[in-house]
Amino acid sequence: MLKNSFISVISQKEKEENPGSVEFQVFCFTNKIRRLTSHLQLHKKDFLSQRGLRKILGKRQRLLVYLLKKNRARYKELISQLNIRETKTR
């Protein structure tokens, strides 16, 4: 249900559904990160899930850096919409 609401928000902006867009991919990764974080709070020694979480975090980070370079306005809007921190720039 949460996924469908986000798709409708994106589709209103772009006039078409595009599940391959950077925003949609970051949204899906953020949902996975939140689920894994809550799982790891219960199961502290689940090291395979910790590894998976780190991989997903890296993928999301790379997508956010790409979006920051391509379109700063869309990046700022996505960050505020998903309530995640800004990336550290080098």
Side-chain angles (χ1 to χ4, degrees):
M1 188 166 94
L2 188 64
K3 187 185 229 182
N4 293 333
S5 66
F6 189 76
I7 291 174
S8 65
V9 170
I10 290 177
S11 65
Q12 290 172 0
K13 292 179 185 174
E14 296 179 359
K15 305 285 190 237
E16 61 187 37
E17 290 186 20
N18 187 5
S21 69
V22 176
E23 289 93 347
F24 186 76
Q25 290 180 41
V26 170
F27 172 74
C28 289
F29 285 143
T30 303
N31 283 339
K32 286 182 185 181
I33 289 167
R34 289 184 177 144
R35 276 186 294 159
L36 278 173
T37 304
S38 65
H39 169 78
L40 287 171
Q41 288 174 348
L42 293 174
H43 308 281
K44 296 185 187 324
K45 294 191 176 185
D46 189 355
F47 299 113
L48 290 177
S49 293
Q50 288 177 10
R51 180 174 184 261
L53 177 63
R54 280 190 232 109
K55 289 179 82 167
I56 293 171
L57 283 168
K59 287 180 185 179
R60 184 180 77 173
Q61 184 68 28
R62 286 191 297 274
L63 282 171
L64 286 172
V65 168
Y66 169 79
L67 187 60
L68 178 65
K69 289 179 183 176
K70 291 294 180 182
N71 192 341
R72 186 174 288 272
R74 283 173 46 195
Y75 169 78
K76 292 283 188 185
E77 184 180 336
L78 183 65
I79 292 294
S80 64
Q81 190 175 18
L82 294 177
N83 295 326
I84 54 179
R85 291 182 287 184
E86 282 196 42
T87 59
K88 294 181 181 177
T89 56
R90 293 183 186 185

